[in-house]
Amino acid sequence: MSSVRRPDHRADLRHVLTHLVTPLLMCIGMGLAYLGAFAHPEPHHLPVAVVGSGSQAQVLAQSISDKAHGGLDVRTVGSRAEAVDQLKHQEIFGAYVMDAHASGGGAPAGASGGASAPKDGASAAKNGAGAGVKDDGGTAVKHAGASAAGAKAAPELVVATAGSDTTATVVQKIFTPVAAQQGTPLKVTDVVPPAEDDPTGQGLFFLMVAVSIGSYASVAVIGGAGAVLPIRLRAALAVGTSFVVSILGTLFAGPVFHLVDHGLWGLWSMAWLYSAGILLIGTGLHTFLKRWTTLGVMALFVMLNFTSAGGVLRPELQNGFFASLHAFWNGAGFVEGTRSHVYFDNNGLAGHVWTLVLWLVVGFVMIGVASLAEARRRRAAAAAAQNATAVAAAAVAATVPERRPAHAAGAGDGENAERAGRSKAAEEAEEEMEEAVGV
């Protein structure tokens, strides 16, 4: 009786389990990054202002600061116009005018009544309001409630939602109880509203997400399918791809979804700098990481990038780690740079552009390092192949010299080894691209 031999799947199973490591690490990384960045948002030294030059303004500002326990940096400014100027320079993110009539404040086109509030980011506001002012009958608020003439004051909160709708919501939650103690609804005035078709102001963040995905997903194709090409050609492909991705992003921002109504050339320039930096860094990393490149670029340009860009929560509402990344990471450079260019008259734009330029320089450095490493590998491989050919030729000549010339045998062995190497490399490249597409 003959027994049927079952196929041995141990090697195949080991191969599958090895590839499962990548998505599991992605799961861990995304959970730690996103929940670590966005869970439990609360103000950390969030700059706000109280408008007024007398003792009432100073006492109210000090009272708010004491109750915030370090969550707010409260200052006083002499006039509403000065507060608006600081808002437009993003030096503060909200200004409370104790009496809009006395300050000569009006409600421009962007103003809204006390019942209205930026809708997006409500959960952040709920958490962030914990650092605000509670209705505890404090004397500072009572003093603020009366005008010099004895008439009821008309409090106003001035914000700039284009800088961050979530932050504006948090600021409104903070100052609404203060106005309530004056017995008057809080009037909210938005002096820098976002585009009409982007009411939450988060469209630029999601534009960055689209450009990022187009960039880092292309890395797997250029590094995998293009592995046989010289590094200079792969770098040229990366630069060319970044032009295409940046043009697509500009079309999304302008003609397609109308996220911005001006400044498209500046937006395109920053989109190209951002995309080219990702593609060049990823292409250079592929020389060293191979099939782990997708995980590497996701860690750099998704896990640490999207969470610190300031599109969902500004750094003033995040913990210290992600707030510190916001100062120099490329996603923050793109989001804050486009905000500055489109909404804030280019205030602070130069610093954000330099951030993107530095990441592009890092990309070119990575390409240079990868080029040196690949040249060293080629020399080592050529020397090893030459030695192997010589050994094989000597062995054939010593054992069966009559079958074929030694040089032919050695050349045949070398060609077989080269074909096997190319086949294995092609298989690995195909698996890498399948993983990238799956992600």
Side-chain angles (χ1 to χ4, degrees):
M1 182 177 180
S2 60
S3 60
V4 179
R5 185 176 181 181
R6 294 182 179 180
D8 188 356
H9 294 296
R10 285 179 296 181
D12 296 331
L13 181 60
R14 186 163 52 249
H15 180 74
V16 172
L17 292 176
T18 300
H19 281 271
L20 278 174
V21 172
T22 300
L24 292 177
L25 288 176
M26 289 178 181
C27 176
I28 295 172
M30 294 290 281
L32 291 174
Y34 274 74
L35 296 178
F38 299 138
H40 307 296
E42 59 182 2
H44 297 282
H45 301 287
L46 178 67
V48 295
V50 174
V51 177
S53 57
S55 59
Q56 291 182 355
Q58 294 175 356
V59 171
L60 177 59
Q62 186 61 50
S63 175
I64 294 172
S65 180
D66 292 342
K67 293 181 176 71
H69 302 293
L72 302 174
D73 282 342
V74 188
R75 67 185 71 176
T76 58
V77 295
S79 66
R80 184 183 185 277
E82 183 181 352
V84 170
D85 182 69
Q86 292 189 16
L87 280 166
K88 291 183 176 181
H89 284 78
Q90 292 189 291
E91 297 174 10
I92 59 174
F93 294 96
Y96 182 75
V97 184
M98 292 188 293
D99 189 350
H101 298 319
S103 299
S112 59
S116 66
K119 296 179 181 179
D120 194 63
S123 61
K126 181 178 179 182
N127 291 283
V133 180
K134 306 299 182 183
D135 185 359
D136 59 358
T139 57
V141 177
K142 290 180 181 178
H143 284 303
S147 66
K152 182 175 288 189
E156 177 191 18
L157 178 65
V158 188
V159 295
T161 57
S164 173
D165 181 77
T166 308
T167 304
T169 303
V170 170
V171 171
Q172 184 172 346
K173 290 286 185 178
I174 291 170
F175 284 103
T176 296
V178 179
Q181 293 186 49
Q182 296 180 230
T184 306
L186 180 64
K187 179 179 70 175
V188 180
T189 303
D190 188 357
V191 294
V192 189
E196 183 179 354
D197 291 317
D198 183 24
T200 67
Q202 294 188 359
L204 294 177
F205 168 74
F206 291 107
L207 173 66
M208 181 207 70
V209 172
V211 173
S212 301
I213 292 174
S215 301
Y216 79 73
S218 299
V219 168
V221 178
I222 295 173
V228 296
L229 299 175
I231 186 68
R232 64 180 183 277
L233 291 183
R234 279 178 278 153
L237 282 173
V239 173
T241 303
S242 68
F243 273 105
V244 176
V245 171
S246 61
I247 290 172
L248 291 174
T250 305
L251 291 176
F252 288 147
V256 179
F257 293 108
H258 308 288
L259 301 177
V260 300
D261 53 13
H262 66 280
L264 284 178
W265 280 108
L267 185 147
W268 169 78
S269 301
M270 286 182 277
W272 177 76
L273 287 171
Y274 176 73
S275 177
I278 293 176
L279 274 154
L280 289 172
I281 291 173
T283 301
L285 285 176
H286 190 275
T287 298
F288 307 98
L289 300 182
K290 300 298 182 184
R291 61 175 291 263
W292 300 103
T293 304
T294 299
L295 179 61
V297 295
M298 281 196 69
L300 288 173
F301 304 119
V302 176
M303 298 175 191
L304 298 178
N305 190 27
F306 294 176
T307 52
S308 63
V312 178
L313 297 178
R314 283 195 57 84
E316 293 83 5
L317 299 179
Q318 293 184 292
N319 60 51
F321 175 74
F322 291 99
S324 63
L325 292 182
H326 183 85
F328 62 92
W329 219 255
N330 60 343
F334 176 76
V335 172
E336 298 295 353
T338 51
R339 280 175 177 167
S340 172
H341 179 60
V342 175
Y343 295 121
F344 293 97
D345 297 326
N346 296 326
N347 288 316
L349 177 62
H352 302 309
V353 171
W354 274 113
T355 297
L356 297 174
V357 169
L358 288 176
W359 279 83
L360 181 63
V361 170
V362 171
F364 281 113
V365 171
M366 282 300 308
I367 292 294
V369 173
S371 178
L372 294 175
E374 291 184 7
R376 186 166 56 250
R377 290 176 186 176
R378 285 194 299 270
R379 289 193 297 268
Q386 185 177 3
N387 292 336
T389 301
V391 171
V396 170
T399 54
V400 284
E402 72 282 357
R403 293 184 60 183
R404 57 176 174 169
H407 69 275
D413 292 341
E415 291 175 0
N416 291 336
E418 185 179 354
R419 282 196 296 268
R422 284 199 300 264
S423 177
K424 183 178 180 181
E427 182 181 350
E428 291 178 351
E430 186 69 23
E431 289 178 348
E432 179 185 343
M433 284 186 286
E434 288 176 357
E435 286 184 4
V437 171
V439 171

